[in-house]
Amino acid sequence: MIGQLRRPPGGRDARIMLLGQLLDRTGTGVWAASSVLFFTFVVGLDAGRLGLMLGIGAVAGIAGSPLAGHLADRYPVRPLLIACHLLRLAALFAMLVVTRFELLLLIVALTHLGDRAAKTLEMLFATRVAGERRATYQALSRSAANAGYAVGAGIAAIGLAVGTRGAYEVLILGNALSFLVASVLVWRTREPHGHGRLIAAAGPEGEGPEGEGGAGPGATPSAARRSPWRDRGYLRFVLLDMPLNLDDSLLNVGLPLWLVHHTDAPHAVVPAFLALNTVLVVVLQLAVSAKVGTARQAAGAVGWYGLFLFAACALLALTPAHAPWAATATLLGAAALVTAAELVRSVCSWELAVSLAPQQARASYLGVAGISPSAQKAVGPLLLTGAVMAAGPAGWLALGAGVAGLALVQRRAALGRLDAALPAPAV
């Protein structure tokens, strides 16, 4: 991994961007670990208004991805990404002085909008600088991001231990500093090849160079001018990808709440879920990505996501309620399986989102694909708390079986779209 980080796909620009992502996610980790307590103890919001704020923020984040993709089809990626970092920087500074709830709703919404837009632009940057080695770049990116989150959570723990208003303000300023430094690092990179509309001159046989001129899977001669919102096959992929992102809600919401409300396991085990997840992602993501080098391999691996998530849900359903140590071991096993699903999903969703999109309109298509994780973050917790956990063990088994079935549907649909894009055999 160290060697790959020194010489990542995309060279100097990729190395600078990965450093920027590491610092960005470190600041985000600080904010993620402290924001709820800041709004509760410093701003004074009750649980109802806090839930409303976070829900509106999640909905605003859904719009960030397609908006970024739409703009990236028309303008260079670098200034757009810098603008996202500066937008989040301004929003954090505003939180230090704003006390009215209505204005805080707007600020949090803008923060989530900029966050999702920045992630989509980073993904597009990677597809352009890393080329066919984008899966390796994605693995390095996720390893750097998880390391950043872990460092950020550790920094936040120090501030939370102090617990004063000044300590919370220092944590917010630290997050803001990470956005400022990340924007400077993005400014130092060069605009990746193919900024604006990815239209290439036609070659001798009417096709552009690889990575730009070809229409891509499921495309027509007018694919570059088509909106992804009219591409039913791609929209089906995005729709199916939403439940295939549920590992995030399981790790951050499902596992902790099931432990607290349905078992006698020690509450101190809850941080171990995130720690286990972080370590496994940092250590294994590159190896998993190496197994999925092509779009067909990514489509084939989607079934493994369903299998891992079903196994995790089965363990949750079987978790003993009144045996603390047995419950702890079972829940940690479930966390490991959820992480295995995440490792597969991060590679498959990334590769298929890129490979199933027409190459001339890839920015707009990737913006639409970015809706999946944003929508899951908004709906996933409600699904788990309102339906799955209320139904008890049967709810977990139903969720696991449902996701496993949808994974098989996604696998079949993706392979069919890829097969349809293969050139006809020569006569």
Side-chain angles (χ1 to χ4, degrees):
M1 181 184 296
I2 298 300
Q4 291 280 9
L5 286 171
R6 289 174 177 172
R7 296 177 297 276
R12 167 191 174 274
D13 294 324
R15 188 163 52 249
I16 294 175
M17 184 63 74
L18 288 170
L19 176 59
Q21 288 180 253
L22 173 66
L23 297 175
D24 179 346
R25 302 308 190 269
T26 298
T28 301
V30 170
W31 178 242
S34 59
S35 58
V36 171
L37 296 180
F38 169 78
F39 287 126
T40 301
F41 297 116
V42 177
V43 180
L45 299 182
D46 57 36
R49 289 193 296 174
L50 179 59
L52 176 62
M53 173 186 292
L54 297 178
I56 290 177
V59 172
I62 295 175
S65 294
L67 176 61
H70 177 77
L71 292 174
D73 247 349
R74 289 154 178 79
Y75 304 102
V77 170
R78 288 172 60 254
L80 292 174
L81 184 52
I82 291 173
C84 288
H85 289 323
L86 295 180
L87 173 64
R88 294 189 288 170
L89 173 69
L92 283 175
F93 278 127
M95 286 183 191
L96 295 174
V97 296
V98 171
T99 56
R100 288 185 56 186
F101 178 66
E102 297 80 5
L103 293 177
L104 284 174
L105 284 178
L106 176 61
I107 291 170
V108 171
L110 289 175
T111 301
H112 281 76
L113 181 77
D115 180 66
R116 289 309 312 171
K119 285 180 169 61
T120 298
L121 292 169
E122 288 169 351
M123 182 179 181
L124 183 57
F125 182 95
T127 64
R128 293 177 178 175
V129 301
E132 296 303 315
R133 296 186 63 201
R134 54 182 174 263
T136 300
Y137 182 98
Q138 169 70 347
L140 295 173
S141 173
R142 283 186 51 76
S143 297
N146 276 272
Y149 285 134
V151 173
I155 295 173
I158 299 174
L160 297 179
V162 177
T164 63
R165 180 186 181 93
Y168 281 103
E169 291 176 346
V170 170
L171 293 178
I172 292 177
L173 290 173
N175 189 18
L177 178 62
S178 74
F179 295 147
L180 179 61
V181 176
S183 64
V184 172
L185 290 173
V186 173
W187 177 74
R188 289 190 58 204
T189 65
R190 294 162 293 192
E191 179 65 25
H193 178 66
H195 65 79
R197 288 192 176 277
L198 298 178
I199 305 297
E205 299 299 326
E207 297 192 11
E210 181 176 324
E212 296 177 38
T220 66
S222 60
R225 296 185 295 275
R226 285 181 58 190
S227 166
W229 300 105
R230 297 181 181 179
D231 189 333
R232 294 182 180 179
Y234 200 81
L235 289 178
R236 180 172 60 244
F237 159 74
V238 174
L239 184 63
L240 288 170
D241 199 44
M242 292 178 188
L244 302 185
N245 275 264
L246 274 171
D247 56 272
D248 178 76
S249 290
L250 254 72
L251 180 70
N252 295 299
V253 178
L255 283 167
L257 290 183
W258 191 251
L259 179 149
V260 170
H261 295 295
H262 296 273
T263 77
D264 291 334
H267 293 185
V269 175
V270 171
F273 297 148
L274 183 58
L276 178 64
N277 172 266
T278 300
V279 171
L280 290 178
V281 169
V282 171
V283 172
L284 297 178
Q285 186 67 76
L286 197 60
V288 173
S289 298
K291 301 291 185 181
V292 184
T294 67
R296 291 190 63 83
Q297 289 174 337
V302 171
W304 284 101
Y305 178 90
L307 179 62
F308 286 136
L309 207 73
F310 176 78
C313 289
L315 279 183
L316 287 168
L318 296 173
T319 303
H322 302 295
W325 294 110
T328 296
T330 305
L331 290 170
L332 287 173
L337 287 168
V338 169
T339 302
E342 177 188 345
L343 289 167
V344 174
R345 181 260 303 165
S346 64
V347 179
C348 296
S349 294
W350 159 269
E351 181 61 34
L352 291 176
V354 174
S355 300
L356 298 180
Q359 293 170 346
Q360 296 103 323
R362 192 169 272 171
S364 294
Y365 273 70
L366 290 181
V368 174
I371 292 176
S372 296
S374 301
Q376 186 280 142
K377 287 181 179 295
V379 178
L382 297 177
L383 172 66
L384 294 182
T385 57
V388 174
M389 297 177 67
W396 287 117
L397 292 175
L399 176 68
V403 172
L406 291 175
L408 295 178
V409 174
Q410 179 77 297
R411 178 182 183 275
R412 181 176 180 179
L415 289 173
R417 185 173 171 98
L418 291 169
D419 289 339
L422 291 175
V427 178

